[in-house]
Amino acid sequence: MCGIVGYIGELDAKEVLLKGLEKLEYRGYDSAGIAVRNEDGITVFKEKGRIADLRAAIDTSVEASVGIGHTRWATHGVPNRKNAHPHQSATGRFTLVHNGVIENYHLLQKAYLKGIQLASDTDTEIIVQLVDLFVSEGLSTEDAFRKTLGLLHGSYALALLDREDADVIYVAKNKSPLLVGVADTFNVIASDAMAMLQVTNQFVELHDKEVVLVRKDGVTITNLEGTVMERAPFTAELDASDIEKGTYPHYMLKEMDEQPTVIRKIMQAYTGEDDALTVDPEILAALNEADRLYIIAAGTSYHAGLVGKEYFEKIAKIPVEVHISSEFGYNMPLLSEKPLFIFISQSGETADSRQVLVKIKEQGYKSLTVTNVPGSTLSREADYTLLLHAGPEIAVASTKAYVAQIAVLAVAAYVTAKEKGIDVDFDLKQELAIVANNIQTVIDRKDDLEKIAEDYLKIARNAFFIGRNLDFCVSLEGALKLKEISYIQAEGFAGGELKHGTIALIEDGTPVFALVSQKAVALNIRGNVKEVTARGANACIISMEGMAEDDDAFILPKTHALLTPLVSVVPLQLISYYAALHRRCDVDKPRNLAKSVTVE
Ligand code: F6R
């Protein structure tokens, strides 16, 4: 959460910073600010609201070629101008942007800053005040920065400007993402390479607790002991067009439309020279050796994990537990003798999942990250990585990453089964090719789905999603999609469970979306639909060819029974999208949310 950028060079820093922040807005969008330094000193602009509000508030006559910027998702202190970054020390000498959470900020304030009147309610301000304090006690800025870092407990990506030295931006990170972008006549920093693709595609990875001095003509990285670290830049394999909306009104729509291509890309990426599906042999060995898999994830990725469990159990015959990451780390169940941990995370930065990874690594267990972002924290810190190949997902509501996660888990389970000599009675590659076409068929029927959204949800206060077996997993995801972007209260339920209490909420007209794609339980779920319609519910049945009945609202093309989630989720995504549009919600940036949740 929160995105930071910095620029030091010859161009107009304001424009590079603003463009960078626009690309990072997915990380937080309740307030934003920049600070630029020129011969007159440091000027700070900040505003509550979006980057567009900040842009409007900037005095364009201020020229500077050094600066830092921030887009915020509030953790400490309400989203307002006062709490927006950058923050300055009481003397005005130091200016700082921060992404992360400083857990011991109260203790530090009491221990060091008693006499200082704070200007904000943020944890961040403590950091900049400490640097100023230590400089006033005689340390150089670099030493004061280093000393301050040594006192911080928590997560941070930081960029600091010193009014007395125009030539350097002081940078550090711990558990929060941060990259340095390099070029001949300037250097930049950013929480995500995407933000600085506008000026460079060469980036240097930073490690936790390093102290980095970014100058116009060079970057110096030192470790905690002060030893200089040499690190070659890497090329960000991103195409600027991947991160543009193009002619689409919303990223979410673009990303849903990309889903057939994503499935095809995954098939390509995981096909070996013999034309068969393949996975890195080391990963296969780890999966094979495990006596139980522990899938750890949050939100949509957790929902993908529930489907993944079915694949590993049914196809590869390995027992699996799926856990919500924020629960697992603080309440670990009894583990098996040879567990393998699988972290599913689109961003690869989710703090809830990372805290589990840190703990299981301390206990010596192996881990595999399934992520969309190569080089992300979870990818770097796990033993192995499987990439999603979905391309950047920018809309806050995850769509293409969810189907990519499920497809990659299917590939991993399938190849593991083959490796184990298990007789698998279907050709996954062939079935995934059908899935890609089937997703396209659903996408081509957007008008029908828009009409369903209007008919069932236009005036709804709440909605239920029901299904059994794999359809239950997808109903959880359907409900999450609807609530997060349309703010209609929505819950996903196992079809048989509603009658154990929640059916009390069914009134005349309550929308209930029922998925019918699993033959073995098709009659049972239709029975559950009868129970709710008898109590006035407005049931919308989404069934699969071969199981459809006359009054069903939408019929999905026939898909392999294990792969139905890849197709059945698509109408639910699109219905949610249109329901949100009808309510004039900000589809790509729903309230209170951010794309990358880097706080616990
Ligand atoms: C919902 C959504 C979130 C994320 C969750 C985990 O649409 O995107 O629920 O799935 O915050 O994020 P990652 O997958 O990045 O770990």
Coordinates of all heavy atoms in Angstrom, one line a residue, residues 297-302 344-350 353 378 393 396-399 405 477 480-481 484 594-597, ligand 1:
A297 N -2.8 -17.8 1.5 CA -3.1 -16.7 0.6 C -4.2 -15.9 1.2 O -4.7 -16.2 2.3 CB -3.7 -17.3 -0.8
A298 N -4.5 -14.8 0.5 CA -5.5 -13.8 1.0 C -6.5 -13.5 -0.1 O -6.1 -13.5 -1.3 CB -4.9 -12.5 1.5
G299 N -7.7 -13.2 0.3 CA -8.7 -12.6 -0.6 C -9.0 -13.5 -1.9 O -9.2 -14.7 -1.7
T300 N -8.9 -12.9 -3.0 CA -9.1 -13.6 -4.3 C -8.1 -14.8 -4.4 O -8.5 -15.9 -4.9 CB -9.0 -12.6 -5.5 OG1 -10.2 -11.8 -5.4 CG2 -9.0 -13.4 -6.8
S301 N -6.9 -14.5 -4.0 CA -5.9 -15.6 -4.2 C -6.2 -16.8 -3.3 O -5.9 -17.9 -3.6 CB -4.5 -15.0 -3.8 OG -4.2 -14.0 -4.7
Y302 N -6.8 -16.5 -2.1 CA -7.3 -17.6 -1.2 C -8.3 -18.4 -1.9 O -8.3 -19.6 -1.9 CB -7.8 -17.0 0.1 CG -8.5 -18.0 1.0 CD1 -7.8 -18.9 1.7 CD2 -9.9 -17.9 1.1 CE1 -8.5 -19.8 2.5 CE2 -10.6 -18.8 1.9 CZ -9.9 -19.8 2.6 OH -10.5 -20.6 3.4
I344 N 0.2 -18.1 -2.7 CA -0.5 -17.6 -3.9 C -0.7 -16.1 -3.7 O -1.3 -15.7 -2.7 CB -1.8 -18.3 -4.2 CG1 -1.7 -19.8 -4.1 CG2 -2.4 -17.8 -5.5 CD1 -3.0 -20.6 -4.4
S345 N -0.1 -15.3 -4.6 CA -0.2 -13.9 -4.4 C 0.0 -13.2 -5.8 O 1.1 -13.3 -6.3 CB 0.8 -13.4 -3.4 OG 0.8 -12.0 -3.3
Q346 N -1.0 -12.6 -6.2 CA -0.9 -11.8 -7.5 C 0.3 -10.9 -7.4 O 1.2 -10.9 -8.3 CB -2.2 -11.0 -7.8 CG -2.2 -10.3 -9.1 CD -1.4 -9.1 -9.2 OE1 -0.7 -8.9 -10.2 NE2 -1.5 -8.2 -8.3
S347 N 0.3 -10.0 -6.4 CA 1.4 -9.0 -6.3 C 2.7 -9.5 -5.8 O 3.7 -8.9 -6.1 CB 0.9 -7.9 -5.3 OG 0.7 -8.5 -4.0
G348 N 2.6 -10.6 -5.0 CA 3.9 -11.1 -4.4 C 4.3 -10.2 -3.3 O 5.5 -10.3 -2.8
E349 N 3.5 -9.3 -2.8 CA 3.9 -8.3 -1.8 C 3.0 -8.4 -0.5 O 3.3 -7.6 0.4 CB 3.9 -6.9 -2.3 CG 4.8 -6.6 -3.5 CD 6.2 -6.7 -3.2 OE1 6.6 -6.8 -2.0 OE2 7.0 -6.8 -4.2
T350 N 2.0 -9.2 -0.5 CA 1.0 -9.2 0.6 C 1.7 -9.5 1.9 O 2.2 -10.6 2.1 CB -0.1 -10.1 0.2 OG1 -0.7 -9.7 -1.0 CG2 -1.2 -10.2 1.3
S353 N 0.7 -12.6 3.9 CA 1.3 -13.9 3.4 C 2.8 -13.9 3.8 O 3.4 -14.9 4.1 CB 1.1 -14.0 1.9 OG -0.2 -14.1 1.6
L378 N 7.7 -12.0 -2.2 CA 7.4 -13.4 -1.9 C 8.1 -14.3 -2.9 O 8.5 -15.5 -2.5 CB 5.9 -13.7 -2.0 CG 5.1 -13.1 -0.9 CD1 3.6 -13.2 -1.2 CD2 5.4 -13.8 0.4
E393 N -1.6 -6.5 -13.6 CA -3.1 -6.4 -13.3 C -3.2 -5.1 -12.5 O -2.6 -4.9 -11.4 CB -3.5 -7.6 -12.4 CG -5.0 -7.5 -12.3 CD -5.6 -8.7 -11.5 OE1 -5.2 -8.8 -10.3 OE2 -6.3 -9.6 -12.0
V396 N -8.0 -2.7 -9.1 CA -7.9 -3.2 -7.8 C -8.5 -4.6 -7.7 O -8.0 -5.5 -7.0 CB -8.4 -2.2 -6.8 CG1 -8.6 -2.8 -5.4 CG2 -7.4 -1.1 -6.7
A397 N -9.7 -4.8 -8.3 CA -10.4 -6.1 -8.2 C -9.7 -7.1 -9.1 O -9.5 -6.8 -10.3 CB -11.8 -5.9 -8.6
S398 N -9.2 -8.2 -8.6 CA -8.5 -9.1 -9.3 C -9.4 -10.0 -10.2 O -10.4 -10.5 -9.7 CB -7.7 -10.0 -8.4 OG -6.9 -10.9 -9.0
T399 N -9.0 -10.1 -11.5 CA -9.8 -10.9 -12.4 C -8.9 -11.9 -13.1 O -8.9 -13.1 -12.9 CB -10.6 -10.1 -13.4 OG1 -9.7 -9.2 -14.1 CG2 -11.7 -9.3 -12.7
Q405 N -4.1 -17.9 -11.7 CA -3.7 -18.7 -10.5 C -4.2 -20.1 -10.6 O -3.5 -21.1 -10.4 CB -4.2 -18.0 -9.3 CG -3.4 -16.8 -8.9 CD -4.1 -15.9 -7.9 OE1 -5.3 -16.0 -7.7 NE2 -3.3 -15.0 -7.3
E477 N -15.8 -16.2 -4.6 CA -15.1 -15.2 -5.4 C -16.1 -14.2 -6.1 O -15.9 -13.0 -6.1 CB -14.2 -15.9 -6.5 CG -13.5 -15.0 -7.5 CD -12.6 -13.9 -6.8 OE1 -12.4 -14.0 -5.6 OE2 -12.2 -13.0 -7.5
L480 N -17.2 -11.8 -3.5 CA -16.1 -10.8 -3.2 C -16.1 -9.7 -4.3 O -16.0 -8.5 -4.1 CB -14.8 -11.5 -3.0 CG -13.6 -10.6 -2.8 CD1 -13.8 -9.7 -1.6 CD2 -12.3 -11.4 -2.7
K481 N -16.2 -10.2 -5.6 CA -16.1 -9.3 -6.7 C -17.2 -8.3 -6.6 O -17.0 -7.1 -6.7 CB -16.2 -10.0 -8.0 CG -15.1 -10.2 -9.0 CD -13.8 -9.8 -8.9 CE -13.1 -9.6 -7.6 NZ -11.8 -10.2 -7.4
E484 N -16.8 -5.8 -3.5 CA -15.7 -4.8 -3.4 C -15.8 -3.7 -4.4 O -15.4 -2.6 -4.2 CB -14.4 -5.5 -3.5 CG -14.0 -6.1 -4.9 CD -12.7 -6.7 -5.0 OE1 -11.7 -6.2 -4.4 OE2 -12.6 -7.8 -5.6
A594 N -6.8 -1.0 -1.8 CA -5.6 -0.7 -2.6 C -5.2 -2.0 -3.2 O -5.6 -3.1 -2.7 CB -4.5 -0.2 -1.7
K595 N -4.4 -2.0 -4.2 CA -4.1 -3.2 -5.0 C -3.1 -4.1 -4.2 O -3.2 -5.3 -4.2 CB -3.5 -2.8 -6.3 CG -3.2 -4.0 -7.2 CD -4.4 -4.6 -7.8 CE -4.2 -5.8 -8.7 NZ -5.4 -6.5 -8.8
S596 N -2.1 -3.5 -3.6 CA -1.0 -4.3 -3.0 C -1.1 -4.0 -1.5 O -0.8 -2.9 -1.1 CB 0.2 -3.8 -3.7 OG 1.3 -4.4 -3.1
V597 N -1.4 -5.0 -0.8 CA -1.7 -4.8 0.7 C -0.4 -5.1 1.5 O -0.3 -6.3 1.9 CB -2.9 -5.6 1.1 CG1 -3.3 -5.2 2.5 CG2 -4.1 -5.4 0.2
Ligands
F6R1 C1 -9.8 -8.8 -4.6 C2 -8.3 -8.8 -4.5 C3 -7.7 -9.1 -3.1 C4 -6.4 -9.8 -3.3 C5 -5.7 -9.9 -1.9 C6 -4.4 -10.7 -2.0 O1 -10.2 -8.5 -5.9 O2 -7.6 -8.5 -5.4 O3 -8.6 -9.8 -2.3 O4 -6.6 -11.0 -3.9 O5 -5.5 -8.7 -1.4 O6 -3.5 -10.0 -2.9 P1 -2.3 -10.8 -3.6 O7 -2.9 -11.8 -4.5 O8 -1.6 -9.7 -4.3 O9 -1.6 -11.4 -2.4

